[in-house]
Amino acid sequence: MMGRQRLACALLPAFVLLAGCSGSERNRAEGPPPAAPFAEVARQDSRAQENGPKLAYRHDLTVALAPERVAPHFAAARDRCLTDAALTCTLLQSSIRGGSGTSQPQAMVQVRLAHASVAAFVAAATAPLPGESADEVVLQDQATRAEDLTRALADTVRRLAQLNDYRTRLTALSEKPDNRAEDLIKIASELAQVQSQIEEVDGERRGLDERVDTEIVTVNYRATRAQAGALAPVQAVWARSGPILGESAASALRFAVASLPWLPVALVALLLLRLVWRFRRRRRRPARLRIEP
């Protein structure tokens, strides 16, 4: 009995050390590292972005310039999109017209940009060029629109998953050893149709993803002549006298052409009124003769 007690006392420190070691190992295994809470927050943020609305943004700007400055600003904005490597920019459309005779020049540049490049491009497109002052470039209008593509993206993803699952089942069916030749032909034809549908839907999904991942910016350059003083309205009307005269002439011609079908009706109405007036005049004349002595 004394030998067993001595053996237990001798082994007790070893058991304590083993328990401490296993406990520390368990604590290290169960206890999260210091960076775990931040990683969890980052995962939650990414999930929130993935589950959030999918918006496609469009920006429309109108910049007022002197007539001779429209072309330089148009060229600067277009070339910046085409040549600036710092911008993730795609030129979608560009046009310039007018500037001859009485018409004022107008220009338009439409680009597709990454989210991070929008502010830089807009700032450059609305900034004065070298040699210009700040009051020579006026941002008249600015509008932003957002289209929610969440449902459209979800529909394309669901359709794509269904088509992929159908293709997998068709492929498994074609690999069966007991298939007949006519069955294999039907399966191959159905696989070709499904593959075509998959490529079409995948193209739609990629197009929607591009719209969500980028923004469209349209910059319109308009020519204006700033007038000041008491005669400013008169000068503005005189500057537009040609277009005003043309619009008035067009309105008069439009009225004349629209009135042509009504001329016969007006003539018939005038003849009827004249007949009624003459008839009433004839009826009144005998009555007057009877009254006279």
Side-chain angles (χ1 to χ4, degrees), residues 129-241:
L129 294 178
E132 295 179 346
S133 59
D135 56 353
E136 294 183 73
V137 182
V138 180
L139 180 60
Q140 286 186 334
D141 299 306
Q142 182 175 2
T144 299
R145 293 173 294 168
E147 183 180 359
D148 193 352
L149 301 179
T150 307
R151 181 174 298 180
L153 270 170
D155 291 341
T156 55
V157 171
R158 186 186 68 254
R159 289 165 54 197
L160 194 60
Q162 292 174 351
L163 290 171
N164 284 325
D165 181 67
Y166 186 39
R167 182 180 61 181
T168 301
R169 288 188 282 114
L170 285 175
T171 304
L173 187 62
S174 66
E175 294 175 353
K176 288 186 176 180
D178 55 347
N179 286 327
R180 296 177 300 177
E182 57 183 11
D183 295 335
L184 291 175
I185 293 174
K186 291 180 180 179
I187 293 174
S189 176
E190 189 68 17
L191 276 172
Q193 294 181 7
V194 171
Q195 183 63 34
S196 176
Q197 295 176 7
I198 288 175
E199 293 175 358
E200 181 180 356
V201 175
D202 187 59
E204 294 178 6
R205 181 189 60 79
R206 285 187 278 106
L208 292 173
D209 285 337
E210 183 183 28
R211 294 179 59 186
V212 172
D213 295 337
T214 59
E215 303 180 26
I216 295 178
V217 178
T218 304
V219 183
N220 297 285
Y221 294 105
R222 298 288 183 265
T224 59
R225 292 187 182 274
Q227 304 291 344
L231 298 179
V234 178
Q235 294 175 356
V237 173
W238 180 256
R240 297 190 65 253
S241 58

Side-chain angles (χ1 to χ4, degrees), residues 88-103:
T88 307
C89 182
T90 302
L91 182 63
L92 300 179
Q93 187 179 358
S94 64
S95 63
I96 184 170
R97 60 185 179 87
S100 61
T102 58
S103 62

Side-chain angles (χ1 to χ4, degrees), residues 28-62:
R28 286 195 299 268
E30 295 177 356
F38 301 97
E40 183 64 27
V41 170
R43 285 195 296 269
Q44 291 176 1
D45 292 342
S46 63
R47 285 196 297 268
Q49 292 176 0
E50 292 176 359
N51 298 329
K54 308 298 182 181
L55 302 178
Y57 287 96
R58 298 179 66 96
H59 309 278
D60 296 297
L61 301 94
T62 302

Side-chain angles (χ1 to χ4, degrees), residues 1-31:
M1 188 68 181
M2 294 296 294
R4 291 180 180 178
Q5 291 179 354
R6 291 177 182 175
L7 181 60
C9 292
L11 294 177
L12 183 59
F15 288 141
V16 172
L17 289 175
L18 289 175
C21 292
S22 60
S24 62
E25 290 178 357
R26 184 170 58 254
N27 291 335
R28 286 195 299 268
E30 295 177 356

